[in-house]
Amino acid sequence: MSIKKDNVIKVATKLFAEKGFENTSIANICSAANVSKGLVYHHFESKESILIEIFTQTTDQMIEMNMETKKLIAPNIQLQQLIETIFTQLHQNKHLFQFNLNIMFQPSTKKILSKQIERRASILFNSVKNIFDQISQERSTMLTYIFIAEIDGIALNYLSVFNKYPIEMIKQELLNKYKNIK
């Protein structure tokens, strides 16, 4: 990917996270990225295609995080590593997570990304379920839903509800909870 295209994606992600997709124009993106509309339209057909590209890239990052986790053998260790990775990414890529949160609550973006959202949800669910299958076949589906809901709730509270959210303490509690799950 070209440096300018990458910059447009980075700037658009930040603007979509801060202002929302609906309130961000191509002109806003061009101005903040210090590029021409021609350059943006050279790489992207529309604002919607920028949104799809961002969402696809974040999904690919999630898949990559999951691949790192699969290198570990014990399922409890896989969960511990997954939790560590999620919290590291949540802290390091706050704008990306805010972007994801915003698009999930905006009907217009949810409609544009329906196929990508479904794909991501399926990948996420199946990868977490594979870990829980190793712990308890009969409870793996329910444990997967609970784990994903916990992560989503933590991310929501960290990104948009509390100013001084005790993210490190919560990570430790989650790590302790899943350390010896059976």
Side-chain angles (χ1 to χ4, degrees):
M1 183 177 330
S2 78
I3 293 171
K4 290 192 179 197
K5 181 179 179 182
D6 187 47
N7 186 44
V8 168
I9 290 170
K10 192 177 291 183
V11 167
T13 302
K14 184 176 187 292
L15 292 173
F16 292 162
E18 291 173 353
K19 297 173 64 171
F21 177 77
E22 299 282 335
N23 297 323
T24 303
S25 66
I26 291 288
N28 296 141
I29 295 168
C30 292
S31 176
N34 200 26
V35 297
S36 68
K37 281 187 180 181
L39 182 120
V40 171
Y41 285 115
H42 172 74
H43 292 290
F44 303 100
E45 291 178 16
S46 62
K47 183 170 79 165
E48 289 80 6
S49 66
I50 297 171
L51 179 68
I52 291 168
E53 177 69 23
I54 295 166
F55 196 83
T56 301
Q57 282 186 14
T58 59
T59 299
D60 292 344
Q61 287 175 351
M62 288 173 59
I63 293 167
E64 196 174 302
M65 285 190 311
N66 184 49
M67 296 309 265
E68 290 175 20
T69 304
K70 286 189 174 188
K71 293 176 186 173
L72 303 169
I73 296 173
N76 292 38
I77 295 173
Q78 289 180 38
L79 277 173
Q80 299 283 307
Q81 185 62 41
L82 182 58
I83 292 166
E84 289 284 355
T85 302
I86 290 168
F87 277 78
T88 298
Q89 290 298 317
L90 187 59
H91 181 68
Q92 289 178 350
N93 296 315
K94 198 169 185 175
H95 280 295
L96 202 54
F97 280 89
Q98 285 174 322
F99 158 79
N100 282 294
L101 184 63
N102 287 349
I103 62 165
M104 296 305 251
F105 290 112
Q106 291 180 30
S108 62
T109 54
K110 196 171 183 179
K111 184 178 178 182
I112 293 166
L113 295 169
S114 62
K115 290 177 188 170
Q116 290 83 2
I117 290 170
E118 189 175 312
R119 176 179 174 256
R120 178 189 285 180
S122 176
I123 290 167
L124 175 63
F125 185 87
N126 290 329
S127 65
V128 173
K129 187 175 181 304
N130 285 336
I131 297 170
F132 281 115
D133 281 344
Q134 298 171 57
I135 294 169
S136 171
Q137 280 273 294
E138 57 205 31
R139 295 178 36 225
S140 64
T141 299
M142 190 53 58
L143 290 170
T144 300
Y145 282 121
I146 291 168
F147 181 83
I148 291 170
E150 286 174 318
I151 296 298
D152 286 347
I154 291 165
L156 175 66
N157 283 294
Y158 175 63
L159 295 171
S160 63
V161 177
F162 297 103
N163 290 330
K164 294 182 179 181
Y165 195 66
I167 193 78
E168 282 302 313
M169 289 171 58
I170 290 175
K171 178 180 83 171
Q172 286 308 312
E173 286 296 321
L174 208 58
L175 287 167
N176 290 337
K177 176 181 179 177
Y178 288 104
K179 187 176 189 176
N180 296 311
I181 190 169
K182 294 177 181 162

